[in-house]
Amino acid sequence: MLRGAALVAGLDLRRRVGDRSFLVTAVVGPVALALIISAAFSSIAGIDATIAVVDADRSGISSGFVGRITAGESGGDEGGDGVTFEGRASAEEAARAVDDGDVDAAIVVPAGFEASLSGGEAIALRVIADAERPIGGAIATAVAEGFADRVDAAALSVRTALAADEEAFDDVAHLTLAAQEVRSAAAVEDSGFSADFDAAAYFGPSMAILFLFLTVGAGARSLLAEQREGTLARLRSSPLPLAALLLGKAGAALVTGLVSLLVMWAVTQLVLGADWGDPVAVLALVVATVLAIAGIGALVTGLARTDAQAEGWTSVVTFTLALLGGNFVSPGALPGALRRLSLLTPNGWALRGFTELSAGHGGLADVVPALAVLLATAAVTGTAGVALLARRVA
Amino acid sequence: MRAVLAISANELRRVLRDRTAAFFVAVLPVVIIVVIGSTFGTGGSDLPVGVVDLDGTARSRELAEALDSSTAIDVSTYTDEGDLAADVRTRRVEAGVVLPAGYAEALDAGEPTAVRLLSDPTASGAVPVRSAVAGAVAAQGRVHAAAAFVAGRLGLDAAELVEVAEREADALAPVAVDVEQVGDDRRADLSPFSYTAPSNLVLFLFVNSIAVGAVLATDRASGITRRLLATPHPVSTIVAGVGLAKLTFALVQAGLILGVGALLFDVDWGDPAGAVLLTVTFAVVSTGVGLVVGSTARSTEGAQSVGVPVAIGMAMLGGCMWPLDVVPDPMRIAGHLVPHAWAMDGWRDLVLDGGGLGAVATELAVLAGFAAVALAAAVWRLRLALTA
């Protein structure tokens, strides 16, 4: 029985390897897509932004701020590495420069800004950004907010002084000047995390999983194709038991799926230097993922009437699950509701597991929930699928 | 001409009967626009942020509460910094805030201290999260800085003045920062689906044209095309009929996405003449490539399993999955080797910048070049396949 199964599996595998289009879906396609994505996101972390600054106020406060940042003084909130500031004459000129792409964003201190601080409502600082260059806009906003905080801290200091002891501070002009030096006692310190997001370690498994649906399902579909072409009848007339036939087909499908994922692992690790994480846990997750997707493939095929219909349904199921599971977007890009929805799909769980291992530096214990869901999916869909297929061919 | 129409009508009927094709043509693009569009949408509300309080003082709790009451973020509490960092890396939370030990002590002494923000600056919610956290931190920090400043001058203990400063802070409206987007008012009013709708139009037009074109391989194998040759029509009529059917199919698909985009997602496709020309030119390019694939491939399944991943790869290179601004220069240049990038440039001119026909002249010219090559190759391969 086992020898028979091995024979069927070997025959199936040999036929697959000889099929060029199969090699594309199983190996070349997913690896190529993962390479493109990694190349596209390789330098996203490096920040290189130019921000225009306009002093339309021409007051002590505004010229101090503009002078400080254009001189490249790194005083805490001012941008950081890779950010340069350039002075511009007017808000209109700066807006044009942003629109033309000469600068990434602009900060404008409007006319009358300092004067507005002493009475009632302060005039707002302006940031001119371009939606197509969000990082430049984010940096300009952070710098402007940092400046606003300084102004607020100075204003609050003056008010607190006068409220505490008005007589002691009779020289308000002097007090206001001294208060300019007050800095908020607490600030935000950014710990750059982008270096930790390894696009290849995320999109590698993501693309491999997408294609797994197509390759692994081919095993079950080949059963229907053989039935249509009559080769199945010939096989059934041999002394080979039905169980051996099914086992062989399933074995071949699982091997191709495993090879597809393992090749992706090897290529991304060796060529791109991606780190998928703890090898033992990765291997366990790879096996569980292949089993779950093979189970779904068997079920879809078992429900279909013909191998062509099975192929169509498989594509539909593949893309629906990939969309919901988040295979096409980076983790965290899914909004809250969809993020929860993604955990209704096996690929969503698999991806979460792979992310846990690569980005989260987790171990086997961290992927136990993912493994449990995947294996349960494999058991339920696989049993149902194989039963349906067995009844079909018997 | 009547023969061309009859052949193409017959071809179309056969494709439309396929329910799987209907899913890929009608359902999938719309669903993808919804999913991807909503990830790029405003998303400003309830961004999940984790907070770990390593200080455990009244001051740090006060800051944690201030963060919690911020409308932009939804705070969950952590006890371990490592857990928080892991959740930020796996993006279970958008960002993490670490209130360091000694935070209150530094504040009370009026010494500068920093709250650590763990976040990926490229994440979609990075900007609103940073603004919200920085705002709350600065609000508390300036109270203590002001108290320390005044206390220093009066020779008092800063702690005595914190209450005064807090009272004054409540009465003081902080300086606001107004962020405006260039590209006049058009950008501000644009639907959040304005990038994803055109990119899915380009992506699916091409992918489905390949898939539909690949069916030719089966028609060739089953002899349907040879039967057409038995009719008294010249080969050129048959080539035109088959080509027209595939092009019509592509245009129906395009019309569907354009219509759904405009009606359901409020996408303004821009200058009508520009939009129509861009759609038709790209549809001709796609159909041409699809016909070449279908008349060259040995089997439909093979052509589809190779063609669809290749088409997805081309869409990635051409900026249908992400804007080409975010990729390094060599990738942007490589992207413009495929027609997708030119089509996307055109759609950005029309949809995002509100440009007219003149704005997309270059893109249309380049696409027309692609179309001419693809059509010539298609006619040549199709003739060969029909007569061989």
Side-chain angles (χ1 to χ4, degrees), chain A residues 20 125-127 129 131-132 145 152 159 183 185 187 189-191 196 333 339 352 356 359, chain B residues 39 89 91-92 113 115 117 130-131 141 145 168 175-176 178 180-182 187 298 348:
Chain A
R20 252 183 303 163
L125 296 168
R126 289 172 64 195
V127 166
E132 289 182 30
E145 281 172 348
D152 289 333
R159 291 183 65 122
R183 299 283 172 273
E189 180 188 291
D190 292 284
S191 324
D196 271 41
R339 215 177 297 197
R352 184 183 175 142
E356 202 84 56
Chain B
T39 69
R89 280 194 299 263
R91 310 280 177 99
R92 271 194 220 170
T113 175
V115 164
L117 180 68
R130 196 189 187 287
S131 287
E168 292 301 317
V175 172
D178 287 345
E180 41 201 280
Q181 306 288 345
V182 289
R187 285 291 168 89
R298 256 174 302 161
R348 293 173 67 144

mmCIF file of all heavy atoms in Angstrom, chain A residues 20 125-127 129 131-132 145 152 159 183 185 187 189-191 196 333 339 352 356 359, chain B residues 39 89 91-92 113 115 117 130-131 141 145 168 175-176 178 180-182 187 298 348:
data_model
loop_
_atom_site.group_PDB
_atom_site.id
_atom_site.type_symbol
_atom_site.label_atom_id
_atom_site.label_comp_id
_atom_site.label_asym_id
_atom_site.label_seq_id
_atom_site.Cartn_x
_atom_site.Cartn_y
_atom_site.Cartn_z
ATOM 1 N N ARG A 20 6.443 23.154 -17.324
ATOM 2 C CA ARG A 20 7.062 24.459 -17.109
ATOM 3 C C ARG A 20 6.138 25.443 -16.386
ATOM 4 O O ARG A 20 6.549 26.201 -15.541
ATOM 5 C CB ARG A 20 7.523 25.047 -18.433
ATOM 6 C CG ARG A 20 9.040 25.026 -18.549
ATOM 7 C CD ARG A 20 9.466 25.670 -19.833
ATOM 8 N NE ARG A 20 8.835 24.990 -20.975
ATOM 9 C CZ ARG A 20 8.749 25.517 -22.201
ATOM 10 N NH1 ARG A 20 9.223 26.717 -22.420
ATOM 11 N NH2 ARG A 20 8.189 24.851 -23.183
ATOM 12 N N LEU A 125 0.217 78.215 13.078
ATOM 13 C CA LEU A 125 1.342 78.002 12.166
ATOM 14 C C LEU A 125 0.823 77.219 10.970
ATOM 15 O O LEU A 125 -0.125 76.443 11.105
ATOM 16 C CB LEU A 125 2.445 77.205 12.856
ATOM 17 C CG LEU A 125 3.111 77.874 14.050
ATOM 18 C CD1 LEU A 125 3.970 76.868 14.799
ATOM 19 C CD2 LEU A 125 3.968 79.047 13.576
ATOM 20 N N ARG A 126 1.434 77.425 9.808
ATOM 21 C CA ARG A 126 0.955 76.711 8.614
ATOM 22 C C ARG A 126 1.991 75.708 8.143
ATOM 23 O O ARG A 126 3.177 75.992 8.124
ATOM 24 C CB ARG A 126 0.697 77.696 7.469
ATOM 25 C CG ARG A 126 -0.508 78.576 7.678
ATOM 26 C CD ARG A 126 -0.552 79.638 6.596
ATOM 27 N NE ARG A 126 -0.735 79.069 5.257
ATOM 28 C CZ ARG A 126 -0.520 79.768 4.135
ATOM 29 N NH1 ARG A 126 -0.092 81.014 4.184
ATOM 30 N NH2 ARG A 126 -0.719 79.202 2.964
ATOM 31 N N VAL A 127 1.500 74.522 7.769
ATOM 32 C CA VAL A 127 2.370 73.543 7.122
ATOM 33 C C VAL A 127 1.766 73.282 5.752
ATOM 34 O O VAL A 127 0.564 73.056 5.631
ATOM 35 C CB VAL A 127 2.454 72.228 7.928
ATOM 36 C CG1 VAL A 127 3.067 71.116 7.084
ATOM 37 C CG2 VAL A 127 3.262 72.436 9.184
ATOM 38 N N ALA A 129 1.861 70.819 2.672
ATOM 39 C CA ALA A 129 2.355 69.471 2.384
ATOM 40 C C ALA A 129 1.790 68.998 1.054
ATOM 41 O O ALA A 129 0.877 69.601 0.499
ATOM 42 C CB ALA A 129 1.939 68.516 3.500
ATOM 43 N N ALA A 131 0.262 65.534 -0.613
ATOM 44 C CA ALA A 131 -0.225 64.198 -0.243
ATOM 45 C C ALA A 131 0.632 63.099 -0.867
ATOM 46 O O ALA A 131 0.686 61.986 -0.367
ATOM 47 C CB ALA A 131 -1.675 64.034 -0.679
ATOM 48 N N GLU A 132 1.322 63.425 -1.960
ATOM 49 C CA GLU A 132 2.139 62.392 -2.612
ATOM 50 C C GLU A 132 3.460 62.166 -1.902
ATOM 51 O O GLU A 132 4.158 61.212 -2.183
ATOM 52 C CB GLU A 132 2.395 62.778 -4.073
ATOM 53 C CG GLU A 132 1.144 62.663 -4.913
ATOM 54 C CD GLU A 132 1.418 62.994 -6.362
ATOM 55 O OE1 GLU A 132 2.539 62.759 -6.824
ATOM 56 O OE2 GLU A 132 0.502 63.511 -7.018
ATOM 57 N N GLU A 145 5.094 71.510 15.136
ATOM 58 C CA GLU A 145 4.504 71.247 16.456
ATOM 59 C C GLU A 145 5.540 71.451 17.550
ATOM 60 O O GLU A 145 5.215 71.937 18.641
ATOM 61 C CB GLU A 145 3.926 69.822 16.498
ATOM 62 C CG GLU A 145 2.569 69.741 15.802
ATOM 63 C CD GLU A 145 2.045 68.316 15.655
ATOM 64 O OE1 GLU A 145 2.822 67.370 15.887
ATOM 65 O OE2 GLU A 145 0.865 68.170 15.298
ATOM 66 N N ASP A 152 4.363 77.763 23.283
ATOM 67 C CA ASP A 152 3.395 77.518 24.362
ATOM 68 C C ASP A 152 4.090 77.492 25.720
ATOM 69 O O ASP A 152 3.568 78.030 26.706
ATOM 70 C CB ASP A 152 2.681 76.181 24.147
ATOM 71 C CG ASP A 152 1.705 76.232 22.982
ATOM 72 O OD1 ASP A 152 1.212 77.338 22.688
ATOM 73 O OD2 ASP A 152 1.445 75.181 22.382
ATOM 74 N N ARG A 159 2.730 83.470 32.012
ATOM 75 C CA ARG A 159 1.451 83.514 32.726
ATOM 76 C C ARG A 159 1.588 82.973 34.143
ATOM 77 O O ARG A 159 1.021 83.539 35.091
ATOM 78 C CB ARG A 159 0.390 82.683 31.981
ATOM 79 C CG ARG A 159 -0.037 83.304 30.663
ATOM 80 C CD ARG A 159 -1.122 82.477 30.036
ATOM 81 N NE ARG A 159 -2.316 82.486 30.845
ATOM 82 C CZ ARG A 159 -3.502 82.887 30.417
ATOM 83 N NH1 ARG A 159 -3.643 83.286 29.161
ATOM 84 N NH2 ARG A 159 -4.546 82.861 31.205
ATOM 85 N N ARG A 183 12.051 75.203 27.855
ATOM 86 C CA ARG A 183 11.726 74.064 26.990
ATOM 87 C C ARG A 183 10.846 73.118 27.784
ATOM 88 O O ARG A 183 11.102 72.887 28.971
ATOM 89 C CB ARG A 183 12.990 73.294 26.601
ATOM 90 C CG ARG A 183 14.003 74.105 25.842
ATOM 91 C CD ARG A 183 13.566 74.263 24.385
ATOM 92 N NE ARG A 183 14.439 75.202 23.711
ATOM 93 C CZ ARG A 183 14.235 76.526 23.705
ATOM 94 N NH1 ARG A 183 13.201 77.045 24.332
ATOM 95 N NH2 ARG A 183 15.059 77.328 23.087
ATOM 96 N N ALA A 185 9.533 70.180 29.691
ATOM 97 C CA ALA A 185 10.383 69.259 30.439
ATOM 98 C C ALA A 185 10.333 67.849 29.861
ATOM 99 O O ALA A 185 11.232 67.048 30.072
ATOM 100 C CB ALA A 185 9.957 69.240 31.897
ATOM 101 N N ALA A 187 9.704 65.394 26.377
ATOM 102 C CA ALA A 187 9.618 65.376 24.918
ATOM 103 C C ALA A 187 9.403 63.948 24.453
ATOM 104 O O ALA A 187 9.464 63.014 25.250
ATOM 105 C CB ALA A 187 10.894 65.942 24.320
ATOM 106 N N GLU A 189 10.810 60.929 22.228
ATOM 107 C CA GLU A 189 12.041 60.471 21.600
ATOM 108 C C GLU A 189 11.670 59.318 20.673
ATOM 109 O O GLU A 189 11.091 58.330 21.112
ATOM 110 C CB GLU A 189 12.974 60.002 22.716
ATOM 111 C CG GLU A 189 14.302 59.480 22.279
ATOM 112 C CD GLU A 189 15.037 58.879 23.485
ATOM 113 O OE1 GLU A 189 15.436 59.651 24.375
ATOM 114 O OE2 GLU A 189 15.169 57.646 23.544
ATOM 115 N N ASP A 190 11.977 59.478 19.382
ATOM 116 C CA ASP A 190 11.585 58.445 18.421
ATOM 117 C C ASP A 190 12.590 57.312 18.409
ATOM 118 O O ASP A 190 13.782 57.536 18.318
ATOM 119 C CB ASP A 190 11.509 59.039 17.019
ATOM 120 C CG ASP A 190 10.369 60.015 16.899
ATOM 121 O OD1 ASP A 190 9.229 59.558 16.798
ATOM 122 O OD2 ASP A 190 10.633 61.235 16.935
ATOM 123 N N SER A 191 12.081 56.087 18.491
ATOM 124 C CA SER A 191 12.955 54.949 18.271
ATOM 125 C C SER A 191 12.572 54.407 16.907
ATOM 126 O O SER A 191 11.474 53.926 16.727
ATOM 127 C CB SER A 191 12.726 53.862 19.308
ATOM 128 O OG SER A 191 12.443 54.453 20.533
ATOM 129 N N ASP A 196 13.432 47.475 11.370
ATOM 130 C CA ASP A 196 12.986 46.153 11.791
ATOM 131 C C ASP A 196 11.986 45.525 10.839
ATOM 132 O O ASP A 196 11.804 44.325 10.856
ATOM 133 C CB ASP A 196 12.353 46.228 13.186
ATOM 134 C CG ASP A 196 13.399 46.031 14.252
ATOM 135 O OD1 ASP A 196 14.487 46.576 14.080
ATOM 136 O OD2 ASP A 196 13.109 45.319 15.225
ATOM 137 N N ALA A 333 -1.420 47.599 7.839
ATOM 138 C CA ALA A 333 -2.071 48.490 6.888
ATOM 139 C C ALA A 333 -3.570 48.242 6.856
ATOM 140 O O ALA A 333 -4.338 49.112 6.482
ATOM 141 C CB ALA A 333 -1.478 48.296 5.496
ATOM 142 N N ARG A 339 -8.585 43.780 10.095
ATOM 143 C CA ARG A 339 -7.522 43.056 10.785
ATOM 144 C C ARG A 339 -8.122 41.881 11.559
ATOM 145 O O ARG A 339 -7.575 40.794 11.582
ATOM 146 C CB ARG A 339 -6.813 44.009 11.747
ATOM 147 C CG ARG A 339 -5.339 43.739 11.849
ATOM 148 C CD ARG A 339 -4.652 44.734 12.734
ATOM 149 N NE ARG A 339 -4.745 46.100 12.220
ATOM 150 C CZ ARG A 339 -3.938 47.073 12.659
ATOM 151 N NH1 ARG A 339 -3.030 46.815 13.567
ATOM 152 N NH2 ARG A 339 -4.059 48.290 12.198
ATOM 153 N N ARG A 352 0.283 35.890 10.263
ATOM 154 C CA ARG A 352 0.499 36.398 11.601
ATOM 155 C C ARG A 352 1.609 35.613 12.289
ATOM 156 O O ARG A 352 2.465 36.174 12.966
ATOM 157 C CB ARG A 352 -0.803 36.279 12.381
ATOM 158 C CG ARG A 352 -0.729 36.862 13.756
ATOM 159 C CD ARG A 352 -2.046 36.612 14.458
ATOM 160 N NE ARG A 352 -1.962 37.068 15.819
ATOM 161 C CZ ARG A 352 -2.969 37.654 16.449
ATOM 162 N NH1 ARG A 352 -4.098 37.858 15.834
ATOM 163 N NH2 ARG A 352 -2.847 38.022 17.692
ATOM 164 N N GLU A 356 5.131 37.061 13.488
ATOM 165 C CA GLU A 356 5.511 36.877 14.890
ATOM 166 C C GLU A 356 6.958 36.383 14.986
ATOM 167 O O GLU A 356 7.734 36.828 15.832
ATOM 168 C CB GLU A 356 4.578 35.834 15.505
ATOM 169 C CG GLU A 356 4.457 35.860 16.997
ATOM 170 C CD GLU A 356 3.436 36.874 17.456
ATOM 171 O OE1 GLU A 356 2.258 36.813 17.038
ATOM 172 O OE2 GLU A 356 3.838 37.742 18.235
ATOM 173 N N ALA A 359 9.434 39.486 12.508
ATOM 174 C CA ALA A 359 9.466 40.822 13.089
ATOM 175 C C ALA A 359 9.435 40.770 14.613
ATOM 176 O O ALA A 359 10.083 41.566 15.283
ATOM 177 C CB ALA A 359 8.291 41.639 12.570
ATOM 178 N N THR B 39 -7.669 51.003 3.440
ATOM 179 C CA THR B 39 -6.417 51.067 4.187
ATOM 180 C C THR B 39 -5.720 52.402 3.964
ATOM 181 O O THR B 39 -4.959 52.849 4.796
ATOM 182 C CB THR B 39 -5.437 49.942 3.783
ATOM 183 O OG1 THR B 39 -4.988 50.188 2.456
ATOM 184 C CG2 THR B 39 -6.058 48.591 3.882
ATOM 185 N N ARG B 89 6.265 45.708 16.399
ATOM 186 C CA ARG B 89 6.941 45.135 15.230
ATOM 187 C C ARG B 89 6.005 44.289 14.394
ATOM 188 O O ARG B 89 6.058 44.310 13.172
ATOM 189 C CB ARG B 89 8.149 44.310 15.663
ATOM 190 C CG ARG B 89 9.371 45.147 15.969
ATOM 191 C CD ARG B 89 10.593 44.268 16.053
ATOM 192 N NE ARG B 89 10.465 43.294 17.106
ATOM 193 C CZ ARG B 89 10.985 43.448 18.322
ATOM 194 N NH1 ARG B 89 11.679 44.525 18.610
ATOM 195 N NH2 ARG B 89 10.822 42.531 19.236
ATOM 196 N N ARG B 91 2.938 44.789 14.245
ATOM 197 C CA ARG B 91 1.867 45.731 13.888
ATOM 198 C C ARG B 91 0.514 45.376 14.500
ATOM 199 O O ARG B 91 -0.519 45.623 13.899
ATOM 200 C CB ARG B 91 1.703 45.839 12.371
ATOM 201 C CG ARG B 91 2.976 46.072 11.626
ATOM 202 C CD ARG B 91 3.359 47.528 11.688
ATOM 203 N NE ARG B 91 4.637 47.765 11.039
ATOM 204 C CZ ARG B 91 4.787 48.231 9.814
ATOM 205 N NH1 ARG B 91 3.743 48.527 9.102
ATOM 206 N NH2 ARG B 91 5.961 48.411 9.319
ATOM 207 N N ARG B 92 0.550 44.769 15.672
ATOM 208 C CA ARG B 92 -0.735 44.571 16.345
ATOM 209 C C ARG B 92 -1.198 45.890 16.924
ATOM 210 O O ARG B 92 -2.385 46.126 17.097
ATOM 211 C CB ARG B 92 -0.607 43.550 17.454
ATOM 212 C CG ARG B 92 -0.866 42.180 16.928
ATOM 213 C CD ARG B 92 -1.079 41.228 18.045
ATOM 214 N NE ARG B 92 -0.410 40.005 17.685
ATOM 215 C CZ ARG B 92 -0.221 39.009 18.506
ATOM 216 N NH1 ARG B 92 -0.631 39.108 19.745
ATOM 217 N NH2 ARG B 92 0.379 37.932 18.093
ATOM 218 N N THR B 113 13.166 65.276 30.308
ATOM 219 C CA THR B 113 13.028 63.829 30.244
ATOM 220 C C THR B 113 12.309 63.495 28.944
ATOM 221 O O THR B 113 11.714 64.371 28.326
ATOM 222 C CB THR B 113 12.250 63.286 31.462
ATOM 223 O OG1 THR B 113 12.035 61.894 31.290
ATOM 224 C CG2 THR B 113 10.904 63.974 31.614
ATOM 225 N N VAL B 115 9.806 60.708 26.688
ATOM 226 C CA VAL B 115 8.931 59.562 26.580
ATOM 227 C C VAL B 115 9.301 58.888 25.265
ATOM 228 O O VAL B 115 9.439 59.565 24.253
ATOM 229 C CB VAL B 115 7.470 60.044 26.550
ATOM 230 C CG1 VAL B 115 6.550 58.951 26.055
ATOM 231 C CG2 VAL B 115 7.058 60.523 27.928
ATOM 232 N N LEU B 117 8.852 56.798 21.937
ATOM 233 C CA LEU B 117 7.796 56.401 21.007
ATOM 234 C C LEU B 117 8.343 55.311 20.098
ATOM 235 O O LEU B 117 9.310 55.527 19.368
ATOM 236 C CB LEU B 117 7.344 57.602 20.176
ATOM 237 C CG LEU B 117 6.239 57.338 19.160
ATOM 238 C CD1 LEU B 117 4.922 57.027 19.854
ATOM 239 C CD2 LEU B 117 6.068 58.527 18.232
ATOM 240 N N ARG B 130 1.924 60.136 16.252
ATOM 241 C CA ARG B 130 3.012 60.938 16.808
ATOM 242 C C ARG B 130 2.484 62.299 17.276
ATOM 243 O O ARG B 130 2.842 62.781 18.346
ATOM 244 C CB ARG B 130 4.122 61.137 15.777
ATOM 245 C CG ARG B 130 5.395 61.610 16.449
ATOM 246 C CD ARG B 130 6.476 62.030 15.497
ATOM 247 N NE ARG B 130 7.701 62.304 16.237
ATOM 248 C CZ ARG B 130 7.881 63.368 16.992
ATOM 249 N NH1 ARG B 130 6.927 64.257 17.113
ATOM 250 N NH2 ARG B 130 9.020 63.544 17.643
ATOM 251 N N SER B 131 1.618 62.900 16.471
ATOM 252 C CA SER B 131 1.061 64.201 16.854
ATOM 253 C C SER B 131 0.309 64.103 18.167
ATOM 254 O O SER B 131 0.457 64.957 19.039
ATOM 255 C CB SER B 131 0.110 64.716 15.772
ATOM 256 O OG SER B 131 0.851 65.147 14.667
ATOM 257 N N GLY B 141 4.661 68.414 29.909
ATOM 258 C CA GLY B 141 6.039 68.877 30.089
ATOM 259 C C GLY B 141 6.138 70.375 30.289
ATOM 260 O O GLY B 141 6.956 70.848 31.075
ATOM 261 N N ALA B 145 7.891 72.608 33.195
ATOM 262 C CA ALA B 145 8.968 73.524 32.826
ATOM 263 C C ALA B 145 8.656 74.935 33.303
ATOM 264 O O ALA B 145 9.525 75.643 33.837
ATOM 265 C CB ALA B 145 9.163 73.500 31.317
ATOM 266 N N GLU B 168 -3.094 77.780 34.907
ATOM 267 C CA GLU B 168 -2.844 78.685 33.786
ATOM 268 C C GLU B 168 -2.895 77.934 32.448
ATOM 269 O O GLU B 168 -3.346 78.475 31.449
ATOM 270 C CB GLU B 168 -1.477 79.364 33.947
ATOM 271 C CG GLU B 168 -1.418 80.351 35.110
ATOM 272 C CD GLU B 168 -2.454 81.465 34.962
ATOM 273 O OE1 GLU B 168 -2.614 81.982 33.836
ATOM 274 O OE2 GLU B 168 -3.101 81.803 35.975
ATOM 275 N N VAL B 175 -0.834 76.989 20.661
ATOM 276 C CA VAL B 175 -0.681 77.377 19.258
ATOM 277 C C VAL B 175 -0.999 76.176 18.377
ATOM 278 O O VAL B 175 -0.488 75.079 18.603
ATOM 279 C CB VAL B 175 0.767 77.855 18.991
ATOM 280 C CG1 VAL B 175 0.993 78.069 17.502
ATOM 281 C CG2 VAL B 175 1.046 79.125 19.775
ATOM 282 N N ALA B 176 -1.854 76.400 17.398
ATOM 283 C CA ALA B 176 -2.254 75.302 16.519
ATOM 284 C C ALA B 176 -1.333 75.219 15.307
ATOM 285 O O ALA B 176 -0.655 76.181 14.964
ATOM 286 C CB ALA B 176 -3.695 75.513 16.070
ATOM 287 N N ASP B 178 -1.802 74.278 11.371
ATOM 288 C CA ASP B 178 -2.742 73.920 10.293
ATOM 289 C C ASP B 178 -1.974 73.291 9.144
ATOM 290 O O ASP B 178 -1.040 73.893 8.625
ATOM 291 C CB ASP B 178 -3.457 75.172 9.762
ATOM 292 C CG ASP B 178 -4.484 75.680 10.753
ATOM 293 O OD1 ASP B 178 -4.816 74.918 11.678
ATOM 294 O OD2 ASP B 178 -4.939 76.826 10.609
ATOM 295 N N GLU B 180 -2.051 72.151 5.340
ATOM 296 C CA GLU B 180 -2.820 72.261 4.095
ATOM 297 C C GLU B 180 -2.092 71.500 2.994
ATOM 298 O O GLU B 180 -0.867 71.420 2.997
ATOM 299 C CB GLU B 180 -3.013 73.732 3.724
ATOM 300 C CG GLU B 180 -1.768 74.557 3.959
ATOM 301 C CD GLU B 180 -2.042 76.046 4.094
ATOM 302 O OE1 GLU B 180 -2.199 76.678 3.069
ATOM 303 O OE2 GLU B 180 -2.057 76.553 5.243
ATOM 304 N N GLN B 181 -2.854 70.913 2.088
ATOM 305 C CA GLN B 181 -2.252 70.150 0.986
ATOM 306 C C GLN B 181 -2.195 71.020 -0.255
ATOM 307 O O GLN B 181 -3.122 71.770 -0.522
ATOM 308 C CB GLN B 181 -3.081 68.898 0.680
ATOM 309 C CG GLN B 181 -3.343 68.002 1.872
ATOM 310 C CD GLN B 181 -2.103 67.236 2.329
ATOM 311 O OE1 GLN B 181 -1.106 67.138 1.614
ATOM 312 N NE2 GLN B 181 -2.154 66.710 3.542
ATOM 313 N N VAL B 182 -1.098 70.919 -1.004
ATOM 314 C CA VAL B 182 -1.027 71.667 -2.264
ATOM 315 C C VAL B 182 -1.907 70.984 -3.302
ATOM 316 O O VAL B 182 -2.472 69.927 -3.072
ATOM 317 C CB VAL B 182 0.414 71.747 -2.826
ATOM 318 C CG1 VAL B 182 1.263 72.657 -1.996
ATOM 319 C CG2 VAL B 182 1.012 70.368 -2.960
ATOM 320 N N ARG B 187 -7.431 68.332 -4.280
ATOM 321 C CA ARG B 187 -6.907 67.257 -3.450
ATOM 322 C C ARG B 187 -7.750 67.026 -2.193
ATOM 323 O O ARG B 187 -8.018 65.910 -1.803
ATOM 324 C CB ARG B 187 -5.480 67.567 -3.018
ATOM 325 C CG ARG B 187 -4.461 67.390 -4.081
ATOM 326 C CD ARG B 187 -4.306 65.917 -4.406
ATOM 327 N NE ARG B 187 -3.530 65.739 -5.617
ATOM 328 C CZ ARG B 187 -2.217 65.632 -5.631
ATOM 329 N NH1 ARG B 187 -1.558 65.691 -4.515
ATOM 330 N NH2 ARG B 187 -1.584 65.487 -6.758
ATOM 331 N N ARG B 298 0.626 26.854 -25.541
ATOM 332 C CA ARG B 298 0.170 25.526 -25.919
ATOM 333 C C ARG B 298 -1.160 25.189 -25.235
ATOM 334 O O ARG B 298 -1.992 24.508 -25.792
ATOM 335 C CB ARG B 298 1.226 24.480 -25.574
ATOM 336 C CG ARG B 298 1.985 24.017 -26.823
ATOM 337 C CD ARG B 298 3.112 23.095 -26.436
ATOM 338 N NE ARG B 298 4.010 23.767 -25.511
ATOM 339 C CZ ARG B 298 4.863 23.116 -24.734
ATOM 340 N NH1 ARG B 298 4.902 21.816 -24.736
ATOM 341 N NH2 ARG B 298 5.667 23.792 -23.935
ATOM 342 N N ARG B 348 -2.791 59.659 -12.730
ATOM 343 C CA ARG B 348 -2.468 60.620 -11.666
ATOM 344 C C ARG B 348 -2.644 62.041 -12.171
ATOM 345 O O ARG B 348 -3.150 62.895 -11.443
ATOM 346 C CB ARG B 348 -1.034 60.403 -11.193
ATOM 347 C CG ARG B 348 -0.879 59.076 -10.507
ATOM 348 C CD ARG B 348 0.545 58.816 -10.204
ATOM 349 N NE ARG B 348 1.004 59.773 -9.208
ATOM 350 C CZ ARG B 348 1.871 59.444 -8.263
ATOM 351 N NH1 ARG B 348 2.342 58.241 -8.191
ATOM 352 N NH2 ARG B 348 2.242 60.342 -7.388
#
